[in-house]
Amino acid sequence: MTVPHPAGPRPVPPVLAHPLDSPVHAALTGPHAHFAERRGRVLRYPADVTPWNAVPDAPLAQDWADAAALAGPGGSVTLTAFHEPPPADWEILFHAEGVQMVDDGVDAAPDAEAVRLGPADVPEMLELVGRTRPGPFLPRTVELGTYLGIRRHGTLVAMAGERLRPPGWTEISAVCTDESVRGQGMASRLLRAVAHEIRERGETPFLHAASANTGAIRLYEALGFRLRRRTAFLSALVPPGLGTRNPDDRAGRLEQTGR
């Protein structure tokens, strides 16, 4: 018996978003799900790991209330890949245009001088970040992935590591070099070494940079990264009166899946 095909056009399958279109959400619902703190449709990393949050593309008032509850009174909500302004009563702490770049033939290779950094190295890492200001790096950021560094005379003078991990991808972050050793190619060497670690897992490196940081962008392009998309970084302060978590609010309760 032949079953006739139903009349009319076949349904078009939905277009799936690329993991890098919303990398924080993709990471916190994927390889980094054990870090995720959730309230309603909003997710974030623990505040001592990294400041990034993920909100829906078209957030409702409830989503902003949930983001405020996650941050707590006086806290801030930090976003990437987000171009819409927050509600009018949220004070913008910073807003910067940026770029997202992906591996397009990076000459990835291990580096004989690079050493693995771990929790015991965090005080040194925080000191280096304080001197060089590569971007957010907090006491537990080292837990997000592999971090490599170079020491001279026992002092940590350069490092780079892994941050967001959307499925199939890993972000290279915290690339920094002390002023005393700049111009010696350490940043390039560590970028290539971290990219090698990522590729060994069968994943693809990517990274973010502020559009104004043209020197860094030129370096990344020279190493084999290409522009994938333009993006933006935003941090906004929770308005007074918001951010209180109500334990009886079951519809929007805070959920933490693990440390």
Side-chain angles (χ1 to χ4, degrees):
M1 177 179 177
T2 302
V3 178
H5 192 279
R10 295 184 181 183
V12 177
V15 177
L16 300 178
H18 193 286
L20 298 190
D21 289 347
S22 184
V24 178
H25 184 275
L28 288 174
T29 55
H32 278 173
H34 57 289
F35 287 109
E37 294 181 355
R38 177 192 294 270
R39 187 179 173 95
R41 301 195 299 168
V42 178
L43 297 108
R44 75 162 192 176
Y45 284 90
D48 56 353
V49 174
T50 194
W52 299 112
N53 292 243
V55 300
D57 288 339
L60 305 174
Q62 183 60 54
D63 297 318
W64 285 107
D66 288 338
L70 281 174
S76 61
V77 174
T78 304
L79 305 165
T80 186
F82 189 76
H83 293 273
E84 297 297 322
D89 55 344
W90 287 65
E91 177 187 350
I92 295 178
L93 299 176
F94 74 79
H95 176 271
E97 297 300 315
V99 296
Q100 184 184 81
M101 306 181 76
V102 295
D103 178 1
D104 188 33
V106 174
D107 183 18
D111 188 280
E113 195 178 4
V115 297
R116 291 184 180 273
L117 303 172
D121 303 297
V122 167
E124 270 191 291
M125 299 167 81
L126 290 171
E127 287 182 11
L128 179 60
V129 166
R131 297 194 302 271
T132 57
R133 302 186 180 278
F137 185 89
L138 300 169
R140 292 179 55 215
T141 303
V142 71
E143 297 177 22
L144 294 176
T146 299
Y147 276 80
L148 302 177
I150 294 176
R151 285 192 171 89
R152 289 288 165 84
H153 308 295
T155 299
L156 184 67
V157 294
M159 74 172 189
E162 302 173 356
R163 188 168 61 181
L164 302 179
R165 282 191 67 190
W169 300 80
T170 298
E171 180 192 28
I172 298 178
S173 183
V175 181
C176 53
T177 305
D178 189 80
E179 186 176 357
S180 65
V181 293
R182 285 181 187 163
Q184 299 181 23
M186 291 186 185
S188 298
R189 289 164 51 192
L190 288 172
L191 272 163
R192 294 171 62 220
V194 175
H196 174 77
E197 296 273 338
I198 295 168
R199 291 235 198 105
E200 286 291 290
R201 295 197 302 266
E203 298 175 351
T204 303
F206 76 104
L207 50 79
H208 290 103
S211 297
N213 194 351
T214 55
I217 293 172
R218 284 196 298 269
L219 170 64
Y220 301 149
E221 289 174 336
L223 288 172
F225 287 90
R226 65 168 173 82
L227 176 68
R228 177 181 178 267
R229 70 194 298 248
R230 298 195 176 276
T231 186
F233 314 112
L234 171 75
S235 184
L237 186 66
V238 173
L242 287 184
T244 302
R245 297 173 182 170
N246 181 356
D248 295 324
D249 179 10
R250 303 301 178 189
R253 67 186 181 276
L254 168 67
E255 301 174 14
Q256 185 166 355
T257 59
R259 286 279 190 179

